[in-house]
Every structure is written in structure tokens, then in C-alpha cells.
Amino acid sequence: MSLLLKTSQRRTHAQQIIEFLKRGEGKCAVLTGAGVSTDSGVPDYRGPSGVYVRNKDYKPIRYQEFVSSHSIRQRYWARSYLGYPRILQARPNRTHFAIHELEKRSWVNGIVTQNVDGLHLGNNVLELHGSLHKVHCLSCHHTIPRAEFQRKLSLLNPILAEWAILNPDREAGDVASSVNPDGDLEITWDYSDFVYPACDACGVGMYKPSVVFFGENIPSTVRDESFSLIDTSNSVLAVGTSLQVYSAFRLIQRAKAQGKRVAVLSLGPTRADGVVDVKVDDGSSDVLEDVVEGLA
């Protein structure tokens, strides 16, 4: 496709989103997925370079596995220890800035994100699946910043900590430089010597990242808050998401059940393609920057 044709197509797509937002009269809820963070260097799950494409056998950790197996926790925390710096260094990209600008200009009345990377801007952001930047105790619910937990892991695992400093690109030996969206690094290693700490507060509980694992329920307060945003909005714009995860797809179902218009701006097919009012198959950064400009 020629550059001229791509530019024309992008402007057409932007105009579709502009018209959609205008019909929402300033009360459009935005629902985002992993696709909005790929330009920040955080991979997605189902995109062209997503984890499911790179590794057909990839299986995300499940809640019951984490809580029931010491060896699986060793494996998770070792991989997460090496992968978290990539998440920590990620910065908001043009999509995040564009969505924030639309909110500041009162075209968007709230954001629900499936992402756990903490890259969205503003105070009106609901993290549907939690945040990688915190860990909490499963026994007493004591919560600490992930950066603090990272330091604890470094002190308990000095050999790995030294290796990580000497190999910042994670490409030495049998270690793949491939970070997953949930922050862990795909490595083939012996995890049996990896040490992770018990809870500081109660002394016995196990820490878990403050994200919703597969097989784990979203906290009822978060679920209800996401429902409330849909209920008080005139429309929903989903950005950078395939909507394969039910906790996100049900928000689209809820909006449609209330007779509200729904648009999707995302590359590739989505679970909601058969029910949405507007589908724009394109990357979000260029399109949303044009949308901001067109609504100025």
C-alpha cells in the first residue's frame, strides 16, 4: 500500500472515530487492551508479534497453580524478576497521550484498561486486571510497591542479580529476550534455587503480584465500578483489544444490551466484530492523533 493511500485510509478511519465520539456527546467510555502498549515496547498476546504468535504452546500462569505450588512460584518470580525492569522502563506512547487528551477535552468520561503496565495517564483510569507495580500478601493483604519487592528479590538472589546487571538485554546463554505482557521473561532455567520472601507484616503469608491471574476473579468492587462506567456512558470505544477475555467482552455486551453504540479500533479480528456499530481495523497511535487534531 502506498504512503498516500495509507494516509488517506488513516484519515478516513480517524473521521469514523470522530463522528462516533461526537454522537457520544462527551460521555464515551474507553476500554483498552494490550495493543495500546505495543508502541511502548510492551508486547501483546494476540497481535502480529504477540506471545501467542511467538510461542504456540504459551500458557499464562493460573491462580491455582501459583497458590498451590512452591516450585511454580519460584519459576514465576524468577522470570518476573528478570522481566519486570522492561515494564518499569516502559513509557506512555502516543495512544496513551491521545486518549488522555480526549478525556481532558471532555470527549471521554472514563477509561477501563485490561493492561497491568500502569501506562495510562490521568486519575480516571480503572485497572480491570490490577497492576504489576504492586504486590500483596494473600493472607493479611499487606501491600508493597513492586520496586521494593524487586529489591528484596535481588538481596535474596545475589547471583541472579549480578547476572542481570551484566546481561541487561537478557540475551546470554539460553535466555530469550522475550518479555510477556504480564511482565515475566521467557527463560529456560533451573528455578529450584530461587528464593522469594514471606510477607513482612504477618511473617507467613505469600506475596502475589496485584494482578488478576487466569482463573482468578476480578474483585467485586472493580467489577461493579466497570459496570457503573458503562451504565453512565452513552457509548463505548474499545482500543487495541481483541476482547477475547470475558471480563472485557461482557462490558461490550452490557453496553449493547442497553442500546448503546460501540466502536472498536484495533488491528485484526475481535470477539465483538459481529455486534459493534463501528469497526476500524488499524493501529491506534496514528488514528487517535488525527482524532485529537480533528476535534480541536
Side-chain angles (χ1 to χ4, degrees), residues 218-236:
I218 291 175
S220 59
T221 53
V222 175
R223 178 202 63 205
D224 292 346
E225 191 173 345
S226 70
F227 288 171
S228 177
L229 178 59
I230 298 302
D231 295 347
T232 56
S233 299
N234 293 335
S235 59
V236 179

Side-chain angles (χ1 to χ4, degrees), residues 31-95:
L31 169 63
T32 68
V36 307
S37 292
T38 54
D39 285 351
S40 296
V42 180
D44 61 2
Y45 286 99
R46 297 175 178 83
S49 300
V51 60
Y52 288 120
V53 175
R54 299 194 316 265
N55 182 359
K56 301 295 185 183
D57 298 322
Y58 173 74
K59 293 181 180 179
I61 189 169
R62 300 189 67 83
Y63 176 74
Q64 288 301 328
E65 293 176 325
F66 184 88
V67 299
S68 64
S69 171
H70 168 63
S71 63
I72 287 180
R73 289 193 295 276
Q74 286 180 302
R75 177 181 183 273
Y76 175 83
W77 283 124
R79 290 161 57 113
S80 179
Y81 174 76
L82 293 173
Y84 180 68
R86 173 83 169 270
I87 302 297
L88 186 62
Q89 293 163 10
R91 294 294 179 266
N93 62 54
R94 292 182 296 149
T95 293

Side-chain angles (χ1 to χ4, degrees), residues 84 127 131-136 143-146 208-211:
Y84 180 68
E127 294 175 315
S131 171
L132 277 174
H133 299 295
K134 296 181 290 184
V135 299
H136 66 275
T143 300
I144 62 174
R146 175 56 200 269
K208 173 187 171 293
S210 297
V211 300

Side-chain angles (χ1 to χ4, degrees), residues 15 55 77 96-97 128-129 133 178 180 195 210 238 261 268:
Q15 191 58 41
N55 182 359
W77 283 124
H96 298 109
F97 285 113
L128 194 62
H129 298 149
H133 299 295
S178 183
N180 293 322
V195 181
S210 297
R261 287 173 57 80

